[in-house]
Amino acid sequence: MAKKQFAIIGLGRFGSSIAKFLSEMGYEVLAVDEDAERVQDVAHIVTHAVSADSTDEEAMRALGIRNFDVVVVAIGQDIQSSILTTLILKDMGVSNIIVKAQSELHGKVLNKIGADKVIFPERDMGLRVAHHLISPNILEHIELSTDHSIVDMKLPTALYGKNLKQLDIRAKYNCNVLAIKRGEDMDIAPRPDEPLRENDVLVIVGRNEHLNKLEQAYAQP
Ligand code: ATP
């Protein structure tokens, strides 16, 4: 199967880091920005780097943007450009458009005009940091929907040697332990009587309000 091809529009910190990473992973990347200097900064890393205004439909057509598997719109400050660009890409029939939103309202508009995925990097990173500040055991927090998340929780010291049956997370917090990460291994069918060990990481799914209670209960390292 041919490797996916990506186009990244807007080469601020967010867009350029996506472009660089994908290129380093061996993917074909078209990087676009109206600012020639920003284009220059990534030109030596990505497959093609082009200076163009993404609100110019003709320019986008000329770049063959429609043929890319995924187009990421990483324009933050200029909300009008972000929305116009998304509309143009949608009109051209781009199959997978991922757009960075600056605010909830911006995100709503993007969803309405047909963005396939809207991301809120600052909000999500802020939430992650906040979760980690409340409970240093929370290593990762992934939103599944507006109401549900998955967290990676480092096993608190008080629970070393206990098993999942004794923790009784399902009954106490309405959350489910999906897996236990142990070093490089991942036990995706953890046994209820298996003693938990130092450095184990529990992968837990639940409603956000239930996970918050659990995080607070296990806030001690
Ligand atoms: P960061 O990712 O650094 O947080 P940001 O969210 O502040 O960035 P901006 O700096 O506003 O986003 O925009 C990112 C890039 O998008 C800038 O380099 C800017 O030149 C580019 N950009 C903005 N409008 C357009 C446009 N119409 N066409 C092409 N590039 C554009």
Side-chain angles (χ1 to χ4, degrees):
M1 204 170 68
K3 268 197 166 181
K4 276 188 176 172
Q5 297 180 324
F6 298 92
I8 315 295
I9 300 175
L11 303 171
R13 286 159 299 181
F14 184 71
S16 59
S17 76
I18 296 179
K20 283 178 191 162
F21 181 75
L22 290 173
S23 301
E24 280 161 16
M25 297 301 288
Y27 288 92
E28 189 169 316
V29 173
L30 166 69
V32 181
D33 200 295
E34 61 185 1
D35 180 338
E37 235 173 78
R38 294 216 158 158
V39 173
Q40 269 313 309
D41 286 346
V42 301
H44 59 293
I45 303 167
V46 302
T47 328
H48 308 285
V50 178
S51 173
D53 177 358
S54 58
T55 62
D56 176 347
E57 194 169 347
E58 275 316 304
M60 292 300 101
R61 232 176 261 289
L63 286 174
I65 209 105
R66 191 179 176 282
N67 302 321
F68 285 81
D69 298 294
V70 183
V71 181
V72 179
V73 181
I75 300 171
Q77 307 289 326
D78 186 350
I79 292 183
Q80 185 174 330
S81 282
S82 152
I83 292 170
L84 264 178
T85 302
T86 307
L87 258 180
I88 288 171
L89 296 174
K90 191 75 196 167
D91 251 20
M92 287 170 68
V94 173
S95 54
N96 197 354
I97 309 169
I98 299 178
V99 194
K100 166 182 155 156
Q102 190 76 350
S103 64
E104 295 292 330
L105 195 59
H106 182 194
K108 263 191 197 168
V109 175
L110 294 170
N111 275 318
K112 279 242 158 82
I113 62 174
D116 296 284
K117 190 165 174 56
V118 177
I119 41 178
F120 301 86
E122 288 91 356
R123 183 199 70 182
D124 291 351
M125 187 47 86
L127 273 179
R128 274 187 197 185
V129 172
H131 276 281
H132 186 67
L133 289 175
I134 294 170
S135 173
N137 294 324
I138 301 301
L139 307 177
E140 189 69 82
H141 182 270
I142 301 162
E143 244 181 66
L144 294 179
S145 70
T146 43
D147 296 328
H148 298 85
S149 301
I150 290 183
V151 298
D152 278 5
M153 185 179 81
K154 189 166 160 277
L155 191 72
T157 324
L159 303 185
Y160 293 177
K162 295 229 159 58
N163 60 37
L164 289 179
K165 211 164 143 191
Q166 291 166 317
L167 261 55
D168 211 10
I169 284 176
R170 195 177 298 177
K172 282 190 192 152
Y173 301 101
N174 270 306
C175 296
N176 242 320
V177 178
L178 294 177
I180 299 172
K181 288 186 193 173
R182 191 165 277 163
E184 295 296 302
D185 289 336
M186 172 86 102
D187 182 355
I188 53 162
R191 293 208 344 244
D193 55 355
E194 163 92 6
L196 298 166
R197 306 186 211 148
E198 185 175 354
N199 295 327
D200 278 357
V201 173
L202 307 183
V203 183
I204 308 169
V205 65
R207 288 185 73 85
N208 293 333
E209 71 237 46
H210 297 145
L211 284 170
N212 287 345
K213 275 196 190 134
L214 180 140
E215 286 175 26
Q216 279 174 18
Y218 293 131
Q220 297 309 318

